Amino acid sequence: MAKRTCLDCGALTNGTRCIACQRPRERAALRTKRERRPRTSYAEDKRRAAAVAAHRREQGDWCPGWKRDPHKATDLTADHIDAVAAGGSEGGELQVLCRSCNSAKGAR
Ligand SMILES: [Zn+2]
Ligand SMILES: [Zn+2]
């Protein structure tokens, strides 16, 4: 097999770059892929809205509270008990909290 030289360092290689120069490039590509945030799907948005509606039917405008007492709240949102960003699945169990409790939970 004809030997070629690495585009980056000039070392002999079978490909366009030697193994030493190829590896950091692959790792950089992997990192950008992992950083891309998963977008909430339309079905998931509907499921969250349904969870808030069900909560309102049962308990009214009432937030169960995150590390604080339950309190009246009209800005209720449904979010995952285990955040998707923290490894939870998108279809996972939902928890209804007001926006301020939800952001307190997200900041833990
Ligand atoms: Zn090289
Ligand atoms: Zn709250």
Side-chain angles (χ1 to χ4, degrees), residues 27-78:
R27 215 176 289 147
L30 214 70
R31 198 167 345 171
T32 53
K33 209 179 284 175
R34 208 177 298 140
E35 271 173 10
R36 208 175 296 146
R37 290 210 155 207
R39 264 197 51 176
T40 320
S41 67
Y42 177 65
E44 178 62 10
D45 281 346
K46 275 181 73 173
R47 195 170 78 93
R48 291 186 190 203
V52 171
H55 176 92
R56 278 221 167 88
R57 263 199 311 278
E58 289 162 18
Q59 305 182 47
D61 291 330
W62 198 254
C63 169
W66 175 256
K67 292 183 176 171
R68 61 194 269 202
D69 291 335
H71 55 101
K72 191 171 170 54
T74 51
D75 54 347
L76 295 170
T77 59

Side-chain angles (χ1 to χ4, degrees), residues 13-34:
T13 174
N14 294 322
T16 49
R17 282 184 180 81
C18 73
I19 291 165
C21 293
Q22 188 66 49
R23 211 174 277 148
R25 295 172 71 88
E26 282 170 0
R27 215 176 289 147
L30 214 70
R31 198 167 345 171
T32 53
K33 209 179 284 175
R34 208 177 298 140

